[in-house]
Amino acid sequence: MFTQIVVAVDQSDHAERAILAACNLARVYDASLHLVHAAHAAQDAVAVGADVYVAFPSDVDDAEDQAVMTAAAATAQAQGVMPASQRVGQGGAADLVIAVAAEVGADLIVVGRRGLGGFGSMMLGSTSLRISHLATCAVLTVK
């Protein structure tokens, strides 16, 4: 049923459960597992008015993002699944996950219901919702 499974990782509790669910499915279906993490730049803000702040990205911490991926791969390996690929990329998490899913021919994307998106995701819509709208394959959202 599933041969290529992509899972989004970000060190949130929901993403951790998504990794576990994806590993379980990968074992059951003997599927390849692909881990994806969108690096997010730290946000700096500058005051431009009394109550107006503008956020802009500052330097990306490659070591921190690589640590997220290393932890996700360790979780998968502890579940008996060796990731077929690991991708840390820039940009929007949903767009990166969709791009990797297309690249590997995924037939399932597993994503946590809530991640580390915070206020921005409340205003703009969650990553999991965007993935479910853009995906051309099945999407499992894990709580």
Side-chain angles (χ1 to χ4, degrees):
M1 177 174 229
F2 301 118
T3 59
Q4 303 293 328
I5 300 172
V6 170
V7 61
V9 301
D10 67 4
Q11 280 195 320
S12 68
D13 291 341
H14 289 255
E16 189 70 17
R17 290 189 291 274
I19 295 168
L20 296 175
C23 287
N24 186 41
L25 290 167
R27 281 192 317 272
V28 168
Y29 292 104
D30 195 29
S32 295
L33 182 70
H34 305 273
L35 304 174
V36 182
H37 172 64
H40 25 311
Q43 295 290 311
D44 289 330
V46 69
V48 294
D51 293 323
V52 178
Y53 294 88
V54 175
F56 60 94
S58 62
D59 293 334
V60 173
D61 186 349
D62 290 334
E64 183 178 319
D65 291 312
Q66 193 54 50
V68 170
M69 185 55 72
T70 299
T75 298
Q77 291 169 8
Q79 296 298 308
V81 178
M82 181 62 71
S85 70
Q86 302 174 38
R87 173 82 60 85
V88 176
Q90 298 289 329
D95 294 330
L96 179 61
V97 169
I98 293 298
V100 171
E103 205 174 279
V104 302
D107 37 29
L108 177 65
I109 298 171
V110 183
V111 62
R113 184 171 87 52
R114 296 284 306 181
L116 298 177
F119 183 73
S121 67
M122 288 190 295
M123 297 302 293
L124 303 173
S126 72
T127 298
S128 58
L129 180 63
R130 183 162 169 75
I131 289 170
S132 70
H133 283 236
L134 296 175
T136 58
C137 63
V139 177
L140 173 63
T141 305
V142 178
K143 184 172 180 181

